[in-house]
Amino acid sequence: MKVWKGNILSAAGPDRLEIFEGGYLVFDAEGVIQFVGPELPSRYAALPLEDWGDRLILQSFADMHLHAPQYPMVGIGMDLPLLDWLERYTFPNEARFAEPDFARQTCRQLAAELVRCGTTRVCMFSSRHTDATLILMEELERAGVTGYVGKVNMDRQGGPCLQEGTEESKRETLRWLEECRRFRRVRPILTPRFTPSCTDELMGFLGKLAVERGLYVQSHLSENRAEMALVGRLCPDCAQYWETYCKHGLWRSHTVMAHCVHSDKRERDAMRKYGVLAVHCPDSNLNICSGIAPVKQMLREGVWVALGSDIAGGAMPSMLDVMTSAIRSSKARNIAEGDEVLTVREAYYLATSAGHRYFGDKPGFAVGNPLHAVVLDDRRLPIPARPLTMEERLERAIYRCDDRDIVAVSAAGRRVK
Ligand code: GUN
Ligand code: FE
């Protein structure tokens, strides 16, 4: 057992920020939180204590949508909309994951950056390559990043460099699942890339697998108008995009759908009803001109929303930057359409508790949750003109801090930075 002391900020609800100035966090040898509060109960008085002084103890971040093989192309190729961007830049880039050495180098660098930035849980796409996907899982485990990783399935419209055969895709998915048994902190998630990339036969196979083995599913939804029109042409039997997943059993509780920029009320209702997680990726949605997701509206309607960097449609691996981007893009929507803006509290909740919920956690630093935390030192920033409240320090950290200021990271109680 161990104690951390510091300024604890816990996202207990979308609009509930719980603050313990100079508070205490107690966690056991398995990394599970036993206590959080303003005073240390006497029964814990003899435990070893790490005093973080005036630093902020925040929940670490859950990046619920990103693409590992796209890490080498972060920051380039932002001049095309989604479908052209995929064909021109992304697919040729991902094809290099056929080379294990290249995959290893990329995954090691990515895992290190995630840990530096305080991202301890992910829901991540690999490429369609089984061996590279296993390498990715190894590198995440080694670095201390936990969560879900998917070998991508794509048996149509992937071009000569990347597409797999239908039988090959099925066979490799089964081989990959078999190999995944050796991982402890990183688990497999079924990953049909998006409807245009998968035949009905492959989707049906994956849906059956999801039901039979109780596996989770991740994909993309209603990101871009041209993509939605293409789905409409490919699946004339479905009235809406979400139904192309639903008809194969892939629209389930804990199905992760990235983007949902243009999902209308009916599609959003289907998310809420089934317990689908919508992942808002604001930086990506602006970079490749997809649109601005109605994140406030989704929250008002009770849709489960979390945040994603969507590397490399997004160019910001740090969830501090993704939070800033989410607030800014809600303001762009406010200017254009008059929708309410996202608050700092809400952004912090979306980047932490909303994502951690995917792994069964209660909101905030709740007793029983594994300790996913970062310690943030904001002393590099200008001395303020007056003392700041803790909530102001959180706001300023989101806008101004980066990996240099994150001085410690705990992933499920394991100290990884
Ligand atoms: N839709 C299908 N594949 C992708 C991808 O790699 N990135 C994004 N942003 N959308 C997609
Ligand atoms: Fe994506």
Side-chain angles (χ1 to χ4, degrees):
M1 299 255 276
K2 199 163 174 179
V3 184
W4 276 13
K5 182 178 193 309
N7 297 314
I8 299 164
L9 289 95
S10 174
D15 198 36
R16 260 195 70 212
L17 184 65
E18 226 170 52
I19 300 171
F20 302 110
E21 275 191 59
Y24 298 84
L25 252 171
V26 179
F27 51 101
D28 67 17
E30 271 73 58
V32 177
I33 298 172
Q34 298 297 325
F35 172 83
V36 61
E39 303 290 342
L40 190 65
S42 57
R43 64 183 184 279
Y44 298 127
L47 294 177
L49 182 143
E50 187 136 23
D51 189 347
W52 292 106
D54 193 39
R55 296 173 189 87
L56 305 180
I57 301 177
L58 307 179
Q59 291 173 254
S60 65
F61 308 113
D63 187 343
M64 295 307 286
H65 182 71
L66 73 164
H67 299 257
Q70 296 173 19
Y71 188 52
M73 57 181 272
V74 170
I76 49 175
M78 303 294 198
D79 57 329
L80 293 174
L82 177 66
L83 297 177
D84 304 314
W85 176 82
L86 286 172
E87 193 178 309
R88 170 87 173 272
Y89 301 120
T90 313
F91 292 167
N93 178 90
E94 286 194 17
R96 288 218 55 202
F97 257 38
E99 300 163 47
D101 290 345
F102 185 76
R104 174 82 60 192
Q105 165 189 303
T106 300
C107 298
R108 189 164 295 182
Q109 284 185 321
L110 172 61
E113 177 152 19
L114 291 173
V115 167
R116 271 202 312 278
C117 294
T119 297
T120 61
R121 273 172 165 158
V122 293
C123 194
M124 192 185 274
F125 279 51
S126 178
S127 64
R128 65 118 168 134
H129 309 92
T130 305
D131 293 334
T133 304
L134 294 167
I135 288 169
L136 171 59
M137 295 169 90
E138 281 168 19
E139 292 299 326
L140 292 175
E141 281 221 337
R142 185 204 301 262
V145 181
T146 65
Y148 289 91
V149 167
K151 173 226 170 308
V152 168
N153 294 96
M154 44 188 303
D155 69 339
R156 73 175 170 192
Q157 301 210 3
C161 62
L162 197 57
Q163 190 173 306
E164 49 184 4
T166 305
E167 289 311 312
E168 178 191 13
S169 187
K170 293 182 189 174
R171 197 172 58 241
E172 285 296 298
T173 300
L174 294 174
R175 178 169 82 86
W176 167 62
L177 289 172
E178 209 47 47
E179 293 276 344
C180 283
R181 292 173 193 275
R182 64 181 143 110
F183 299 110
R184 286 182 36 236
R185 299 185 186 87
V186 182
R187 281 169 283 172
I189 181 166
L190 296 178
T191 307
R193 180 171 206 123
F194 65 159
T195 297
S197 292
C198 297
T199 59
D200 273 3
E201 186 179 339
L202 185 55
M203 292 281 240
F205 170 81
L206 294 171
K208 221 167 130 243
L209 211 52
V211 174
E212 279 172 11
R213 303 199 185 185
L215 292 165
Y216 290 162
V217 176
Q218 62 177 351
S219 195
H220 295 91
L221 184 74
S222 299
E223 175 177 6
N224 163 295
R225 294 280 184 203
E227 168 213 22
M228 293 165 75
L230 173 61
V231 170
R233 290 195 297 278
L234 290 168
C235 310
D237 56 320
C238 293
Q240 290 197 298
Y241 197 161
W242 68 277
E243 292 166 272
T244 67
Y245 298 111
C246 194
K247 79 167 179 183
H248 294 296
L250 293 160
W251 189 263
R252 293 152 53 76
S253 168
H254 286 76
T255 289
V256 179
M257 284 290 155
H259 306 300
C260 312
V261 173
H262 304 287
S263 297
D264 67 2
K265 180 73 167 51
R266 182 168 174 268
E267 194 162 84
R268 295 196 300 266
D269 282 346
M271 290 178 205
R272 186 170 37 75
K273 236 173 46 209
Y274 284 75
V276 165
L277 170 64
V279 185
H280 178 41
C281 306
D283 189 47
S284 168
N285 295 160
L286 288 180
N287 283 332
I288 53 177
C289 290
S290 302
I292 303 172
V295 63
K296 276 296 274 210
Q297 190 158 359
M298 289 197 263
L299 288 172
R300 279 195 301 271
E301 291 170 1
V303 176
W304 182 11
V305 190
L307 291 186
S309 67
D310 193 30
I311 296 301
M316 296 169 162
S318 168
M319 294 304 286
L320 292 168
D321 293 325
V322 175
M323 281 187 266
T324 309
S325 181
I327 295 169
R328 282 208 185 105
S329 88
S330 79
K331 289 178 180 172
R333 199 177 164 88
N334 169 273
I335 293 163
E337 320 219 1
D339 201 358
E340 283 178 72
V341 302
L342 198 69
T343 64
V344 167
R345 286 175 174 209
E346 287 168 330
Y348 179 52
Y349 176 82
L350 293 180
T352 58
S353 298
H356 293 308
R357 175 179 158 193
Y358 195 75
F359 304 85
D361 286 13
K362 289 171 277 198
F365 284 120
V367 170
N369 286 351
L371 181 68
H372 283 273
V374 302
V375 179
L376 190 140
D377 188 340
D378 57 3
R379 287 175 300 181
R380 188 178 58 83
L381 301 180
I383 296 165
R386 57 166 175 77
L388 301 182
T389 64
M390 285 301 153
E391 190 159 357
E392 285 173 327
R393 284 175 69 186
L394 173 65
E395 178 176 15
R396 195 175 66 147
I398 289 171
Y399 274 89
R400 296 278 281 120
C401 286
D402 58 35
D403 58 321
R404 284 172 296 179
D405 309 304
I406 293 178
V407 294
V409 178
S410 165
R414 176 182 174 203
R415 185 75 181 270
V416 293
K417 177 178 180 177

